[in-house]
Amino acid sequence: MTYLLALDQGTSSSRSIVFDEHGHIVAQAQQELPQIYPQPGWVEHNPLEIWHTQLATARQALASAGIHAREVRALGITNQRETTVLWNRRTGQPVHHAIVWQDRRAEPACAQLRADGHEATIHSKTGLRVDAYFSATKLQWLLDHVPGAREQAERGELAFGTVDSWLIWQLTHGQVHVTDVTNAARTMLFNIHTNQWDDELLALLRIPRALMPAVQPSASHFCDVAPDLLGHAIRVGGVAGDQQSALFGQACFSAGMAKNTYGTGCFLLMHTGDRFQASANGLITTAAAQPTERPEFAMEGSVFVGGAVVQWLRDGLHAISSSSEVQSLAESVPDSGGVMMVPAFTGLGAPYWKPEARGTITGLTRGTTLAHIARASLESIAYQSAALLLAMSRDAVAAGGAPVSELRVDGGACVNDLLMQFQADLLGIPVVRPAVVETTALGAAYLAGLSSGVYGGTGDLSALWRAERRFIPTLAPARAQELMAQWEHAVRQATLD
């Protein structure tokens, strides 16, 4: 049997999964990653804890699988995107905590870039909006606020990386400084047309080029793990940011194929092939995982509050004692009774981009119960995702393509049958849940397997993908349109000044 090891470094935990060549999980291990909140709006991680938890889970997964590292053909890495690490090249020590993708401290710098008229240039080169979400202004903040950092950077003494680069540096004892195109594409410093760091953007943000890692295709030979770490030198053959890795793990390899990850937030990506396609509907364009040197692209939209609305029902309203209870509570009523929940706890993301929006519940009557609110809360995840997919389909049709014909789903909340059926009803297309829902780690394993010869091409991977359940629309299209119109009305009420 051939084995592949995936390191899945996420925002709240580090995990490692051993897969066999058929994409089945053999063993896995997970450790929680502590969150650091220095002040409101700031989120940090200790980079050394990222590394130590990730290494520990890799060792645990191999032990649980009962295999030696020499039996692993290749290793893949997938990671939380945009999180920014800056470290000393000689000592390997971080100069500051990692600034996490959720962190908003760099918003004033972004506002200045927008005010100075740079947004159009940045968007045309990177496909991104100017936002503190991305790495560039986080790195700029570190250079400006860590004593001596800018001077050290200009002397070539520091290295910048997203989490994948930091892990590879540690896995090679500081011998390799590299990233892949999907992670580079989330920095706001990478030209996704040329697949290179952009000198104009580096100069604009005063980022010394010496900080930047080399960039490779997502399936390529990045390095070999130092033998003393896992017991044998394993080829690192695949790297991709978590959402692009999930798109790959869902076998969405061609234009028009789409997946939605239902986690704390929701991340919807649609492959657009080798064509860079700008959105007219509030989405961003990003690099898809690239098995070769040929650029591949995806459109992406993010829902800020997805499964987190269930946590709010549990911890805020105390309507349920555990998240698993929400489906039965919601199913105790036939519908939401006209209640609409817009969970804009931290504003609204794509396609609305309304940071000032706040959560609202509308349509309340004397007959409204907690069950109606629970159902409306669950349905809000589907409404937000439907708004994203409809926006993507409009962009696809405008570019001469076809609307999305099927949505593949993963993430923790995709196990909720009520939510998945309502999603299919709103969209009017099948919603398909795969047999293996750990698609983020699976994508990294597949990329590693491709570059190491386990698989002959993406056709082999498509043949491995299996559906566990297909949710077929049962709602009349006119009724679905009516419900979406009610949702959009509720969104307008949530965004009133």
Side-chain angles (χ1 to χ4, degrees):
M1 182 64 71
T2 297
Y3 298 102
L4 298 163
L5 175 61
L7 309 187
D8 182 358
Q9 205 300 300
T11 310
S12 57
S13 70
S14 297
R15 295 192 307 159
S16 294
I17 303 181
V18 177
F19 292 95
D20 66 22
E21 63 197 274
H22 306 296
H24 300 140
I25 293 174
V26 177
Q28 58 184 311
Q30 182 169 350
Q31 286 192 16
E32 188 173 336
L33 181 67
Q35 310 294 299
I36 303 166
Y37 303 104
Q39 62 187 64
W42 292 27
V43 189
E44 297 178 353
H45 289 157
N46 181 335
L48 295 174
E49 287 182 330
I50 290 175
W51 162 237
H52 293 145
T53 55
Q54 192 64 73
L55 178 63
T57 61
R59 290 170 170 167
Q60 290 164 13
L62 291 172
S64 296
I67 62 173
H68 191 274
R70 73 172 71 90
E71 298 175 74
V72 177
R73 176 73 72 87
L75 182 153
I77 296 172
T78 184
N79 55 283
Q80 54 169 313
R81 303 175 302 172
E82 299 96 17
T83 295
T84 300
V85 189
L86 186 64
W87 67 92
N88 185 289
R89 289 181 179 273
R90 183 179 57 81
T91 66
Q93 292 295 306
V95 304
H96 191 275
H97 283 153
I99 301 182
V100 178
W101 58 273
Q102 299 154 310
D103 190 285
R104 302 303 297 174
R105 75 186 68 184
E107 176 52 33
C110 292
Q112 190 62 53
L113 286 169
R114 292 190 291 266
D116 291 344
H118 297 300
E119 185 154 32
T121 297
I122 292 171
H123 178 73
S124 68
K125 288 172 177 281
T126 69
L128 308 177
R129 299 173 71 95
V130 174
D131 195 272
Y133 179 27
F134 305 110
S135 309
T137 51
K138 301 181 196 298
L139 175 56
Q140 185 184 50
W141 187 94
L142 287 169
L143 293 175
D144 289 340
H145 289 83
V146 175
R150 183 168 292 283
E151 293 74 19
Q152 289 177 284
E154 288 170 352
R155 291 195 299 266
E157 296 170 6
L158 302 183
F160 152 75
T162 42
V163 167
D164 57 308
S165 298
W166 169 245
L167 291 176
I168 288 172
W169 183 273
Q170 296 295 334
L171 287 166
T172 60
H173 294 317
Q175 297 304 300
V176 179
H177 186 209
V178 68
T179 190
D180 94 298
V181 290
T182 65
N183 281 292
R186 312 299 295 188
T187 60
M188 219 167 72
L189 296 168
F190 188 71
N191 189 316
I192 64 173
H193 304 279
T194 64
N195 271 359
Q196 294 178 334
W197 299 116
D198 191 280
D199 287 325
E200 183 182 358
L201 297 181
L202 289 168
L204 177 64
L205 281 101
R206 297 194 307 129
I207 307 293
R209 193 182 180 93
L211 284 171
M212 312 307 288
V215 183
Q216 295 181 197
S218 309
S220 57
H221 187 184
F222 288 87
C223 65
D224 292 321
V225 176
D228 63 304
L229 293 174
L230 296 176
H232 192 263
I234 305 175
R235 171 195 179 105
V236 177
V239 175
D242 53 11
Q243 299 310 320
Q244 287 98 330
S245 189
L247 187 71
F248 202 83
Q250 286 276 33
C252 295
F253 303 133
S254 56
M257 299 185 75
K259 73 88 195 174
N260 195 24
T261 298
Y262 296 81
T264 303
C266 295
F267 295 88
L268 182 60
L269 273 74
M270 179 182 73
H271 209 294
T272 61
D274 59 3
R275 185 179 72 252
F276 177 96
Q277 183 181 328
S279 172
N281 292 284
L283 307 173
I284 63 172
T285 307
T286 195
Q290 296 175 8
T292 67
E293 297 279 355
R294 183 173 67 97
E296 297 188 32
F297 302 100
M299 304 199 79
E300 177 175 333
S302 303
V303 169
F304 293 160
V305 177
V309 73
V310 178
Q311 297 168 351
W312 174 77
L313 285 173
R314 183 192 65 198
D315 304 332
L317 278 193
H318 302 291
I320 52 177
S321 56
S322 69
S323 297
S324 60
E325 296 173 15
V326 70
Q327 180 165 334
S328 58
L329 179 60
E331 284 181 331
S332 68
V333 290
D335 54 44
S336 67
V339 176
M340 280 280 178
M341 165 71 171
V342 181
F345 302 146
T346 55
L348 285 171
Y352 306 107
W353 296 108
K354 297 286 188 181
E356 74 284 359
R358 288 296 173 264
T360 59
I361 303 175
T362 60
L364 298 174
T365 69
R366 280 292 299 270
T368 299
T369 67
L370 272 178
H372 292 107
I373 293 173
R375 188 164 184 128
S377 297
L378 206 56
E379 290 178 351
S380 74
I381 304 172
Y383 279 121
Q384 292 178 97
S385 297
L388 280 180
L389 195 74
L390 293 170
M392 281 186 178
S393 289
R394 288 194 296 272
D395 280 329
V397 170
V404 176
S405 59
E406 164 185 290
L407 180 63
R408 297 184 175 185
V409 298
D410 52 59
C414 84
V415 301
N416 189 300
D417 292 347
L418 177 68
L419 173 60
M420 294 299 99
Q421 183 59 55
F422 189 64
Q423 189 72 85
D425 287 342
L426 282 181
L427 293 171
I429 60 174
V431 166
V432 188
R433 187 166 61 204
V436 178
V437 296
E438 299 291 353
T439 54
T440 302
L442 185 61
Y446 279 168
L447 287 164
L450 267 183
S451 77
S452 58
V454 176
Y455 310 113
T458 54
D460 291 352
L461 302 179
S462 294
L464 290 176
W465 189 87
R466 292 284 184 274
E468 180 263 328
R469 180 167 173 182
R470 294 174 67 86
F471 296 85
I472 306 300
T474 58
L475 202 62
R479 177 57 180 158
Q481 291 175 6
E482 185 181 326
L483 288 173
M484 285 305 298
Q486 291 174 16
W487 164 257
E488 295 295 345
H489 178 70
V491 167
R492 287 193 294 274
Q493 290 177 287
T495 56
L496 289 175
D497 293 333

